[in-house]
């Protein structure tokens, strides 16, 4: 495709880190053909929406935003509007979008985003509308340029898709089956990042603990972690997400023994009730989950544990919900993503009886958030008076005179300092714990 001059693009991303990473690739492809990024829709020649469909409100936001583009397209008929991501993989969605928002130029799904430059070329040279969605996943495409948001920390996807079919979740339908990247490709990408000055990487996958299945080489996730730990110049490694049914002792021991692996595990519990876990098709019970927590706390006392929880799953009784509440109290999570159950078309849970009324869901949600927040606040208090290692990420969000960074176990720390420290590891003495962050000062 020919180079373009002075043309700008705008990308909006909804959803998880996986989508963020896909957007960094879409951005990388656009930069490679000469476009520059803008944060203002009004000055863009291309507007791209990368969508999420995990919950209904994520979809509603996309409709609202697409509606607002009508006026922009009227004022500038050359504007190219593209829409992609998980929502487009749902049956009938692309046609629905084209019917309601006929001014959309390009529609593609999660499996063919590497073809975006080709679609754009067709729209621009032939003046056609392009809609292409692949039903099935393709081979992993390597070598797509990535335009990363940060110059200090980076996401590296190690596997795509999910085989678990939790009954509430659309991800396996829109992201396809599990495929692992070859370890050499992962190492190559990380080494290139280190050469560019990156200090921290987060390995991404829907279920990182089943990494390696189907590869020629005999490798599992723990072995991959140990190999990555050998990469010189890299400071910190994190990963997400771990499915409790697949988290092995080997992985826990790798975190304990490898200096670059940060003491942090994201271990979604979803519910504390055995009855609900079964209906969710999670393949573990409360006892198994709590035994993992015990093991992690015994082996790695500094480890922060975070989670995802859904309230109001079909059939959830007050008693089932209380099981979730007391599990949260018992674990004392360092942070949690809490969700109200959202009915998703074509998933088994959508067809289940006894859907929980909205007011009950909201009331339980508020009670859950209270319990989680109390745990987080207590967890932060423990850090008062301690000195912790912080990777400096940039200026603080709310106070330009301060810097912000994270501890190895993921806690947010604010402290005075100048921009020359950005990207460095510093020791910070914590003077005060705030509810959701720590305040301190650099010590030698
Ligand atoms: N409703 C509410 N939350 C959901 N999640 C996935 N599907 C749904 C749904 N239908 C949550 C799960 C998952 C996280 C990424 O999103 O907690 O771990
Ligand atoms: Fe969805 Fe379950 Fe797969 Fe996570 S493990 S992506 S919740 S199906």
């Amino acid at each position: 495709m020919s180079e373009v001059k002075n043309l700008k693009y705008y990308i909006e991303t909804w959803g998880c880190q996986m989508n963020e990473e896909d957007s960094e690739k879409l951005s990388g492809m656009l930069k490679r053909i000469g476009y520059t990024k803008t944060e203002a829709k009004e000055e863009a020649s291309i507007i791209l929406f990368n969508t999420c469909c995990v919950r209904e409100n994520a979809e509603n936001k996309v409709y609202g935003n697409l509606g607002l583009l009508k006026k922009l397209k009227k004022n500038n008929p050359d504007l190219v509007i593209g829409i992609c991501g998980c929502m487009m993989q749902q049956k009938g969605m692309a046609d629905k979008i084209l019917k309601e928002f006929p001014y959309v130029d390009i529609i593609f799904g999660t499996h063919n985003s590497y073809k975006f430059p080709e679609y754009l070329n067709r729209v621009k040279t032939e003046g056609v509308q392009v809609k292409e969605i692949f039903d099935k996943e393709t081979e992993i495409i390597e070598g797509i340029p990535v335009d990363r948001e940060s110059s200090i920390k980076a996401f590296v996807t190690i596997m795509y898709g999910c085989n678990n079919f939790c009954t509430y979740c659309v991800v396996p339908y829109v992201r396809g089956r599990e495929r692992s990247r070859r370890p050499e490709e992962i190492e190559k990408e990380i080494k290139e990042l280190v050469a560019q000055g990156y200090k921290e990487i987060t390995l991404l996958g829907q279920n990182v603990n089943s990494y390696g299945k189907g590869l020629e080489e005999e490798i599992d996730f723990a072995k991959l972690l140990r190999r990555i730990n050998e990469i010189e110049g890299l400071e910190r490694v994190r990963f997400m997400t771990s499915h409790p049914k697949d988290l092995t002792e080997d992985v826990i021991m790798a975190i304990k023994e490898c200096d670059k692996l940060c003491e942090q595990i994201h271990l979604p519990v979803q519910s504390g009730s055995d009855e609900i876990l079964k209906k969710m098709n999670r393949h573990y019970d409360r006892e198994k989950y709590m035994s993992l927590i015990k093991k992690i706390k015994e082996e790695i006392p500094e480890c922060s544990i975070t989670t995802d929880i859904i309230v109001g799953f079909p059939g959830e009784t007050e008693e089932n919900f209380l099981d979730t509440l007391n599990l949260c109290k018992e674990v004392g999570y360092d942070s949690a993503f809490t969700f109200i159950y959202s009915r998703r078309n074509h998933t088994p849970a959508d067809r289940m009886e006894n859907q929980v009324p909205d007011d009950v869901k909201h009331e339980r949600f508020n009670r859950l958030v209270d319990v989680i927040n109390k745990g987080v606040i207590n967890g932060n208090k423990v850090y008062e008076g301690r000195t912790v290692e912080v990777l400096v990420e940039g200026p603080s969000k709310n106070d330009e005179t301060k810097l912000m960074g994270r501890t190895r176990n993921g806690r947010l720390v604010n402290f005075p300092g100048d921009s020359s420290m950005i990207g460095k590891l510093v020791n910070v003495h914590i003077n005060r714990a705030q509810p959701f962050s720590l305040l301190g000062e650099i010590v030698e």
Side-chain angles (χ1 to χ4, degrees):
M1 190 164 173
S2 58
E3 289 261 321
V4 285
K5 290 272 173 302
N6 299 327
L7 291 183
K8 296 188 174 146
Y9 68 92
Y10 171 95
I11 298 189
E12 187 140 350
T13 311
W14 286 272
C16 64
Q17 280 86 354
M18 217 48 124
N19 257 20
E20 307 249 345
E21 220 248 330
D22 286 347
S23 286
E24 290 183 343
K25 286 187 179 142
L26 291 162
S27 189
M29 289 189 275
L30 284 167
K31 282 201 173 157
R32 179 136 92 185
I33 54 176
Y35 285 88
T36 50
K37 191 173 186 171
T38 175
E39 302 297 329
K41 285 190 193 110
E42 295 70 26
E43 57 174 42
S45 325
I46 302 175
I47 295 181
L48 190 58
F49 285 170
N50 189 3
T51 63
C52 167
C53 57
V54 166
R55 285 171 299 281
E56 194 184 3
N57 56 5
E59 284 190 358
N60 290 341
K61 283 188 199 143
V62 172
Y63 295 133
N65 276 275
L66 271 179
L68 295 173
L69 295 187
K70 188 174 184 177
K71 203 162 144 218
L72 284 183
K73 183 82 171 184
K74 205 169 159 213
N75 294 342
N76 172 16
D78 290 336
L79 172 68
V80 177
I81 299 176
I83 173 160
C84 62
C86 294
M87 203 173 149
M88 297 306 107
Q89 286 295 141
Q90 291 179 297
K91 274 196 193 79
M93 181 57 79
D95 292 327
K96 183 175 165 189
I97 296 277
L98 285 180
K99 201 164 159 223
E100 278 182 47
F101 309 97
Y103 44 89
V104 168
D105 301 286
I106 309 176
I107 297 191
F108 55 97
T110 54
H111 305 312
N112 56 336
S113 54
Y114 66 96
K115 292 181 86 180
F116 174 51
E118 181 189 318
Y119 302 147
L120 183 60
N121 200 24
R122 284 186 55 202
V123 169
K124 299 199 69 131
T125 56
E126 300 166 32
V128 290
Q129 206 171 35
V130 178
K131 179 192 94 176
E132 188 164 66
I133 316 269
F134 292 178
D135 283 345
K136 273 187 82 68
E137 57 275 13
T138 54
E139 296 264 295
I140 293 176
I141 314 281
E142 296 289 355
I144 298 176
V146 192
D147 172 44
R148 300 186 192 266
E149 286 286 324
S150 156
S151 54
I152 297 159
K153 12 185 240 180
F155 293 127
V156 173
T157 304
I158 62 165
M159 59 187 300
Y160 297 88
C162 180
N163 288 356
N164 291 312
F165 292 94
C166 302
T167 53
Y168 49 81
C169 185
V170 290
V171 169
Y173 305 95
V174 297
R175 289 265 173 192
R177 297 293 72 72
E178 281 175 9
R179 289 94 71 202
S180 293
R181 281 178 82 189
R182 291 172 45 228
E184 308 84 75
E185 294 288 351
I186 297 169
E187 281 169 329
K188 185 169 149 239
E189 183 174 350
I190 298 174
K191 284 179 185 162
E192 282 167 7
L193 288 166
V194 171
Q196 290 165 37
Y198 282 86
K199 298 285 188 298
E200 178 180 308
I201 56 147
T202 301
L203 306 173
L204 289 184
Q206 308 294 348
N207 180 13
V208 287
N209 293 284
S210 63
Y211 173 81
K213 290 191 186 131
L215 287 177
E216 269 172 36
E217 203 169 324
E218 267 288 310
I219 186 159
D220 61 14
F221 185 51
K223 287 200 185 109
L224 178 75
L225 287 174
R226 288 184 189 273
R227 269 170 72 162
I228 292 173
N229 191 57
E230 297 303 312
I231 297 177
E232 236 168 83
L234 181 64
E235 299 283 358
R236 291 176 165 192
V237 181
R238 305 184 191 279
F239 57 84
M240 65 191 302
T241 292
S242 287
H243 193 306
K245 81 177 167 59
D246 296 319
L247 176 67
T248 60
E249 201 173 318
D250 279 357
V251 169
I252 298 174
M253 295 317 284
I255 300 176
K256 179 177 178 174
E257 288 160 15
C258 297
D259 60 330
K260 295 178 178 138
L261 297 192
C262 290
E263 296 76 16
Q264 179 185 19
I265 300 188
H266 185 63
L267 199 62
V269 67
Q270 312 295 1
S271 168
S273 147
D274 283 347
E275 202 181 321
I276 298 297
L277 286 171
K278 206 166 177 99
K279 286 190 187 160
M280 287 177 161
N281 194 32
R282 290 290 288 175
H283 294 283
Y284 56 85
D285 58 15
R286 183 185 173 115
E287 194 186 327
K288 151 103 184 167
Y289 186 87
M290 288 311 296
S291 71
L292 283 173
I293 299 289
K294 186 162 167 260
K295 180 87 192 154
I296 296 167
K297 289 190 172 177
E298 265 167 24
E299 297 293 348
I300 322 161
E302 286 293 300
C303 197
S304 79
I305 302 171
T306 59
T307 200
D308 294 350
I309 303 170
I310 299 176
V311 298
F313 186 82
E316 185 190 69
T317 61
E318 173 67 15
E319 200 187 336
N320 298 147
F321 173 67
L322 287 176
D323 284 341
T324 301
L325 274 193
N326 60 41
L327 179 135
C328 292
K329 286 181 191 154
E330 217 174 310
V331 177
Y333 288 110
D334 295 279
S335 100
F337 296 107
T338 46
F339 304 104
I340 290 177
Y341 169 71
S342 169
R343 293 179 79 159
R344 305 283 61 211
N345 259 343
H346 312 297
T347 58
D350 186 38
R351 298 187 290 272
M352 288 181 188
E353 285 174 1
N354 299 324
Q355 297 284 332
V356 176
D358 276 353
D359 55 340
V360 178
K361 284 189 202 169
H362 282 100
E363 189 257 349
R364 287 183 190 163
F365 180 79
N366 293 338
R367 282 157 69 199
L368 175 67
V369 170
D370 276 351
V371 166
I372 294 288
N373 286 351
K374 280 197 187 108
V376 176
I377 293 167
N378 286 341
N380 270 347
K381 278 233 158 59
V382 175
Y383 283 81
E384 281 185 353
R386 285 202 204 171
T387 297
V388 289
E389 181 199 272
V390 173
L391 175 62
V392 188
E393 290 179 20
S396 294
K397 291 258 150 59
N398 305 325
D399 180 352
E400 288 285 303
T401 67
K402 290 203 175 76
L403 296 172
M404 63 76 68
R406 286 188 187 270
T407 63
R408 282 178 63 93
N409 60 12
R411 277 168 212 281
L412 183 66
V413 186
N414 291 298
F415 48 94
D418 63 77
S419 58
S420 67
M421 284 164 179
I422 295 173
K424 300 208 166 94
L425 287 168
V426 294
N427 288 323
V428 177
H429 179 82
I430 304 303
N431 298 325
R432 192 147 56 89
Q434 295 195 305
F436 302 104
S437 64
L438 303 171
L439 270 181
E441 58 197 1
I442 296 182
V443 288
E444 287 310 314

